[in-house]
Amino acid sequence: MIWNNLSVARKLWGVVLGALAMMLALGVAVLVYVEHIDARSRQAIEAADARIGTTMQWKSLTELSTERFLVSATSTERHLVEEMALLSRQNSQQINGLQKQIEDSASEPQERALVQRLAANREQFREVAMGIFREREAGNTQAALALVQQRLRPTTSAYIGMLGELVGLQEQQRDAMAAQARQQRQRAYLAAGGATLALLCAGILLSALLVRSITRPLARAVALADAIAAGDLTQ
């Protein structure tokens, strides 16, 4: 065998350098894999934080728009009604853009279902708002106020509550992503530990073979010398 024909020095260098090379390759592979996991998890968490920020902005604009609409729906001053209605419409346009961003980025079934519920609830809000304005334009102030109390406020409260639920769900998803990244990192380190142990066992085996390849010829030489010294020249 080629191994047996190698000199002792080459065998020693082969074992040492081979072990070092394998350890270096393992360390580099683990570092590259862990860095890949960290980069991917950072991107996912940053995207989740962006969605959370968008939803919180959506929620705050909804609260502001609702207050402005309530002022426009209940005030008796014409200029204030027109100003608040204009601002409320501007907020609504901003909310449309934020809602579209969340709808496009929603990936989990639970999140998509909640966004669909929000869209349906917002349509209810618009229907109630149009009914309030129709009553006001017709001069039915009391009917408009009744719609505000009986339908608009409950619809708005449910809508804002679902936005808060959406923020909580998105935060749970972000935390789950971070936990998954930690688990993947731990598994990578465990795999590296197992590979290191395997390399250690392989090094021990190679060392044993190296010692055996050295000691067995020496033992035969000593036995031959002892036999000749004892007068056994047949050896």
Side-chain angles (χ1 to χ4, degrees):
M1 294 177 62
I2 298 177
W3 176 259
N4 292 330
N5 294 330
L6 293 176
S7 64
V8 175
R10 289 185 177 180
K11 291 178 180 178
L12 289 172
W13 277 112
V15 172
V16 172
L17 294 178
L20 290 176
M22 287 187 287
M23 291 297 295
L24 179 61
L26 176 62
V28 171
V30 171
L31 288 176
V32 170
Y33 180 67
V34 170
E35 178 61 27
H36 173 70
I37 292 174
D38 290 341
R40 187 173 59 186
S41 63
R42 280 196 302 268
Q43 291 177 354
I45 291 173
E46 287 174 359
D49 285 334
R51 288 200 306 275
I52 292 171
T54 301
T55 305
M56 293 180 69
Q57 186 180 2
W58 179 3
K59 184 173 180 290
S60 62
L61 280 175
T62 298
E63 293 171 345
L64 179 60
S65 178
T66 300
E67 292 301 322
R68 287 173 171 173
F69 178 80
L70 289 175
V71 171
S72 67
T74 57
S75 177
T76 57
E77 299 183 12
R78 189 68 183 177
H79 72 280
L80 183 60
V81 170
E82 294 176 353
E83 181 180 359
M84 290 296 102
L86 175 62
L87 292 174
S88 180
R89 286 194 296 271
Q90 292 175 350
N91 290 149
S92 180
Q93 292 176 355
Q94 292 176 311
I95 291 171
N96 288 338
L98 297 174
Q99 181 177 343
K100 183 67 167 56
Q101 292 180 31
I102 296 299
E103 289 174 348
D104 293 341
S105 62
S107 57
E108 298 296 328
Q110 189 176 359
E111 185 178 3
R112 288 198 298 268
L114 187 53
V115 171
Q116 291 175 357
R117 287 170 53 199
L118 281 165
N121 185 278
R122 193 175 179 206
E123 289 301 320
Q124 293 178 4
F125 175 88
R126 288 173 175 170
E127 291 177 2
V128 175
M130 292 299 296
I132 292 172
F133 274 116
R134 283 195 298 268
E135 294 294 344
R136 280 184 59 88
E137 292 298 325
N140 301 325
T141 306
Q142 294 300 321
L145 292 176
L147 284 175
V148 169
Q149 296 297 329
Q150 297 173 8
R151 296 192 59 189
L152 184 65
R153 290 189 182 277
T155 302
T156 303
S157 298
Y159 185 70
I160 294 175
M162 280 190 285
L163 283 171
E165 184 181 349
L166 180 59
V167 171
L169 177 62
Q170 291 170 338
E171 289 175 343
Q172 291 178 3
Q173 292 174 350
R174 178 197 58 193
D175 295 341
M177 292 175 187
Q180 183 180 9
R182 288 193 297 270
Q183 292 176 355
Q184 290 177 340
R185 192 182 299 110
Q186 291 175 353
R187 285 196 294 266
Y189 288 139
L190 289 175
T196 302
L197 181 61
L199 287 176
L200 179 61
C201 294
I204 293 173
L205 178 60
L206 288 174
S207 298
L209 293 174
L210 177 60
V211 170
R212 183 181 178 185
S213 68
I214 296 172
T215 57
R216 288 186 65 183
L218 288 177
R220 289 197 298 268
V222 170
L224 178 60
D226 289 341
I228 292 174
D232 184 5
L233 300 181
T234 59
Q235 296 294 323

